[in-house]
């Protein structure tokens, strides 16, 4: 089915979009599309995840259909589950977009030195699995003179910065034309009014279509139950953001909406020792990010794909 708001592009996979976005309908559609054997293999992690799914979680409606009372019940259940599974007292908020706000990010590549403090901060702030050292940010060590990401390395070692390199942090670009949203067969991911692309982690079926569609490799799949020691759990959480995600779902950067929708800055920005990161509301004419975009020569990644990122890069 073609979305009239997003005309078909030859670079995107042709995948089914199911209008009745129930999980049962998705499974039925998946069998019809892939064939039984292929579909069973594709949802293998989901079958393992289902063993740990509570009755309350299974019966839960899509986030956008929950009433305030139902949301309160869901959040209370998730807080209790966090206490049982991780031994941590957490508070999960339902942070909504601030009217008149569109969040935009920019990075000054002239001063980013590849120290990786942003990666580390993301790991801790967003309650990532400790064993896999997961993060929503990759810092790519790039040869000077090119923006071709294929020539870079995310596993660089040694002292930084190196004279013949520059450093390119990449995370979710919060695209205005997000291919990851277009391909989700159950509409578990969507773009909110402040520009942030979110996932209902209790609605995601783990098919990983969105992960495959993202040209920036910005989505992560939870192959196993995340392990975070109780004393390291960030207790300040939000439903669509940094609560510990279940096994068998895809997750992503949300510009730390549990912070930014409360007037704070993203954790990765606060951790950056060089001041390379700039974040703010592009609709505010007095904001630093607005001034920067109006006065600097900025770049976006993979412009030719037409995804319209809300994430910019520049050099001084």
């Amino acid at each position: 089915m073609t979305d009239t708001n997003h005309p078909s592009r030859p670079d995107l996979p042709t995948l089914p979009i199911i209008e009745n976005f129930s999980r049962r309908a998705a499974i039925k559609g998946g069998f019809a599309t892939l064939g039984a054997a292929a579909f069973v293999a594709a949802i293998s992690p989901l079958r393992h995840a289902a063993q740990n799914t509570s009755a309350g979680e299974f019966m839960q409606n899509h986030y956008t259909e929950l009433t305030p009372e139902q949301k309160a019940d869901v959040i209370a259940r998730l807080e209790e589950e966090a206490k049982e599974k991780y031994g941590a007292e957490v508070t999960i908020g339902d942070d909504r977009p601030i009217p008149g706000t569109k969040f935009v990010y920019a990075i000054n590549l002239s001063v980013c030195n590849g120290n990786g403090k942003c990666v580390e901060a993301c790991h801790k702030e967003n309650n990532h699995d400790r064993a896999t050292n997961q993060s929503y940010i990759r810092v790519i060590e790039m040869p000077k003179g090119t923006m071709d990401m294929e020539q870079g390395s995310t596993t660089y070692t040694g002292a930084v910065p190196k004279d013949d390199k520059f450093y390119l942090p990449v995370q979710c670009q919060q695209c205005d034309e997000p291919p990851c949203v277009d391909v989700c067969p159950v509409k578990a991911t969507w773009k909110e009014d402040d520009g942030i692309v979110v996932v209902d982690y209790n609605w995601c079926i783990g098919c990983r279509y969105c992960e495959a569609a993202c040209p920036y490799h910005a989505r992560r799949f939870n192959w196993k139950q995340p392990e975070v020691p109780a004393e390291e759990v960030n207790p300040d959480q939000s439903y669509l953001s940094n609560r510990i995600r279940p096994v068998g779902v895809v997750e992503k950067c949300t510009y730390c909406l549990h912070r930014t929708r409360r007037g704070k800055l993203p954790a990765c920005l606060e951790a950056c020792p060089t001041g390379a990161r700039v974040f703010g509301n592009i609709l505010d004419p007095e904001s630093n990010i607005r001034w920067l975009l109006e006065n600097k020569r900025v770049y976006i990644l993979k412009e030719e794909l037409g995804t319209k990122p809300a994430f910019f890069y520049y050099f001084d």
Side-chain angles (χ1 to χ4, degrees), residues 66-280:
L66 294 173
T67 66
E69 293 77 18
Q70 289 172 329
K71 282 184 181 178
D73 290 342
V74 167
I75 286 173
R77 189 192 76 229
L78 293 172
E79 290 174 344
E80 185 60 30
E81 288 179 0
K83 187 175 182 180
E84 292 176 359
K85 293 180 179 178
Y86 294 95
E89 296 277 357
V90 307
T91 301
I92 300 175
D94 177 31
D95 298 283
R96 306 302 306 136
I98 303 169
T101 299
K102 180 176 181 180
F103 288 128
V104 170
Y105 219 138
I107 295 183
N108 185 347
L109 297 179
S110 297
V111 298
C112 178
N113 63 11
N115 60 75
K117 294 296 184 185
C118 54
V119 178
E120 181 180 311
C122 175
H123 177 75
K124 295 178 179 176
E125 180 69 27
N126 289 292
N127 290 311
H128 285 287
D129 176 56
R130 293 300 188 256
T132 54
N133 204 28
Q134 193 62 272
S135 173
Y136 296 140
I137 304 172
R138 293 177 300 138
V139 179
I140 306 175
E141 187 178 69
M142 299 280 294
K144 286 185 175 177
T146 180
M147 289 293 283
D148 181 2
M149 294 165 61
E150 298 300 323
Q151 297 186 38
S153 169
T154 59
T155 57
Y156 60 89
T157 58
V160 293
K162 299 183 179 71
D163 289 340
D164 58 342
K165 308 289 185 184
F166 73 97
Y167 298 86
L168 179 67
V170 179
Q171 57 203 80
C172 177
Q173 309 284 293
Q174 315 293 351
C175 304
D176 285 342
E177 299 287 349
C180 54
V181 169
D182 292 344
V183 300
C184 179
V186 295
K187 299 185 179 178
T189 183
W190 65 94
K191 189 173 180 69
E192 300 237 87
D193 291 343
D194 58 359
I196 298 175
V197 177
V198 297
V199 179
D200 183 345
Y201 298 116
N202 285 96
W203 200 256
C204 175
I205 62 171
C207 68
R208 305 177 66 199
Y209 283 1
C210 60
E211 187 181 12
C214 175
Y216 307 103
H217 306 294
R219 290 186 173 234
R220 308 284 183 271
F221 183 73
N222 268 333
W223 288 98
K224 66 181 186 65
Q225 180 67 42
E227 297 176 2
V228 186
E231 65 275 15
E232 296 182 16
V233 170
N234 178 1
D236 197 10
Q237 305 179 5
S238 193
Y239 181 87
L240 293 172
S241 183
N242 67 330
R243 64 182 172 101
I244 301 179
R245 283 72 62 190
V247 63
V249 304
V250 174
E251 60 183 60
K252 65 179 290 300
C253 164
T254 64
Y255 283 171
C256 284
L257 70 78
H258 56 284
R259 296 171 57 93
T260 53
R261 287 179 179 174
R262 302 175 191 175
K264 299 179 180 178
L265 293 168
C268 52
L269 185 151
E270 287 197 344
C272 178
T274 67
R277 290 173 170 264
V278 182
F279 177 85

Side-chain angles (χ1 to χ4, degrees), residues 282-298 312:
I282 195 176
L283 301 182
D284 178 1
E286 303 300 320
S287 65
N288 288 337
I289 191 73
R290 178 72 169 265
W291 181 90
L292 187 151
L293 295 180
E294 289 178 343
N295 292 278
K296 296 286 185 179
R297 183 179 179 183
V298 297
F312 301 87

